[in-house]
């Protein structure tokens, strides 16, 4: 067997199976309910993996999950929104690469949580903010923040939900936006010298499990009404925001 398919020596088989299983479950959750899986997987990975590995490895696994979801639902992607989001995301990644330092996590978590709660329950954003310029700014800010917090998926999801009410449009466009962010995140960490290949045996299996979970989750989504999806979507994002606030305030 090629060395790159082997597990790192300090990862027990039980942890391997746990992470692979959660990759599938969290992909199913995101595909069917719109968001939540990425942050849940990040929380699990933070409990069992070395700190320096968590964010870049999470980015690779999420690239596979989001890429699979975007591919399976590509007909529903809003390419006009993506055309504005991508240049902003690239600018945010470049800026983040220039200042790749440890920022206070509590400040980032509180800011992200506040924006999520506003986007879910506050007044609808003005049309100007949801236009190309606003989408580009959102792409830049969230991509910059994800390099340090790794938890901006719910914020991107809440912003996309402001643009689209259709559940498939929301899920597919969100998947594509996160796919681009994951590509940029991986590029930044690779440029900084992080080598992902020693961990390939783990992330390959997690991506495969995530693809299966996505396929099941999209079939669940077909049975859901837009109204029910919107309510569940907001409740899940609010729970994730509450978790970020707890992380920021509890040592």
């Amino acid at each position: 067997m090629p060395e790159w398919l082997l597990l790192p020596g300090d990862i027990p088989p039980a942890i391997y199976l746990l992470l692979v299983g959660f990759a599938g479950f969290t992909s199913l959750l995101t595909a069917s309910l719109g968001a939540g899986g990425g942050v849940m997987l990040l929380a699990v990975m933070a409990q069992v993996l070395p700190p320096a590995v968590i964010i870049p490895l999470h980015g690779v696994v999420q690239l596979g999950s989001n890429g699979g979801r975007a591919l399976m639902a590509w007909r529903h992607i809003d390419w006009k929104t993506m055309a504005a989001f991508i240049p902003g995301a690239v600018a945010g990644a470049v800026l983040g690469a220039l200042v790749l330092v440890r920022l206070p996590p509590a400040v980032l978590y509180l800011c992200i949580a506040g924006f999520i709660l506003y986007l879910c329950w506050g007044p609808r954003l003005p049309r100007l903010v949801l236009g190309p310029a606003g989408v580009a700014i959102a792409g830049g800010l969230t991509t910059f923040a994800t390099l340090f917090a790794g938890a901006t998926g719910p914020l991107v999801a809440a912003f996309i939900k402001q643009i689209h009410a259709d559940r498939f449009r929301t899920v597919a466009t969100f998947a594509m936006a996160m796919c681009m962010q994951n590509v940029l995140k991986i590029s930044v960490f690779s440029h900084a010298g992080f080598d992902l290949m020693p961990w390939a045996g783990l992330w390959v299996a997690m991506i495969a499990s995530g693809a299966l979970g996505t396929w099941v989750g999209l079939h669940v989504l077909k049975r859901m009404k837009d109204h029910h999806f919107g309510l569940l979507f907001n409740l899940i994002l609010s729970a994730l925001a509450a978790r970020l606030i707890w992380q920021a305030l509890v040592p």
Side-chain angles (χ1 to χ4, degrees):
M1 180 180 295
E3 288 187 8
W4 64 272
L5 282 176
L6 298 176
L7 283 176
D10 56 349
I11 300 296
I15 297 300
Y16 172 85
L17 293 175
L18 172 72
L19 292 173
V20 171
F22 259 94
F25 172 72
T26 54
S27 291
L28 187 157
L29 180 68
T30 301
S32 58
L33 299 181
V39 173
M40 183 183 294
L41 182 61
L42 183 66
V44 173
M45 293 173 70
Q47 304 303 313
V48 297
L49 292 176
V53 172
I54 296 167
I55 291 182
L57 187 59
H58 180 263
V60 174
V61 174
Q62 288 301 102
L63 174 59
S65 178
N66 289 309
R69 195 161 65 255
L71 184 63
M72 294 180 198
W74 69 270
R75 288 185 176 87
H76 301 279
I77 296 173
D78 180 358
W79 293 107
K80 184 178 178 180
T81 295
M82 290 308 307
F85 184 91
I86 292 172
V90 171
V94 171
L95 180 60
L98 295 175
V99 294
L100 195 59
V101 295
R102 174 66 64 178
L103 298 180
V107 175
L108 285 170
Y109 290 155
L110 288 174
C111 290
I112 292 170
F115 277 116
I116 290 171
L117 292 173
Y118 176 84
L119 291 170
C120 286
W121 307 109
R124 186 173 177 81
L125 292 174
R127 185 173 298 179
L128 179 63
V129 177
L130 298 176
V135 173
I137 292 172
L141 292 177
T142 56
T143 302
F144 177 86
T146 196
L147 297 174
F148 309 102
T152 59
L155 179 54
V156 177
F159 186 82
I160 296 295
K161 184 62 170 59
Q162 287 269 324
I163 302 174
H164 297 296
D166 177 78
R167 62 193 188 282
F168 274 98
R169 199 81 157 160
T170 299
V171 169
T173 305
F174 169 57
M176 191 63 200
M178 292 309 298
C179 193
M180 291 307 305
Q181 279 200 347
N182 296 142
V183 168
L184 293 168
K185 181 192 296 188
I186 293 166
S187 299
V188 169
F189 279 99
S190 296
H191 181 73
F194 184 84
D195 185 9
L196 288 163
M197 290 311 296
W199 297 87
L202 178 59
W203 57 256
V204 167
M206 291 178 72
I207 287 174
S209 176
L212 178 60
T214 294
W215 183 82
V216 175
L218 288 176
H219 280 74
V220 173
L221 183 64
K222 289 179 182 178
R223 299 176 178 272
M224 200 177 301
K225 302 292 185 181
D226 281 333
H227 172 72
H228 295 153
F229 172 81
L231 178 60
L232 285 171
F233 191 82
N234 286 344
L235 290 174
I236 288 172
L237 290 177
S238 298
L240 295 173
R243 178 182 177 276
L244 289 173
I245 294 172
W246 181 83
Q247 281 184 285
L249 299 180
V250 177

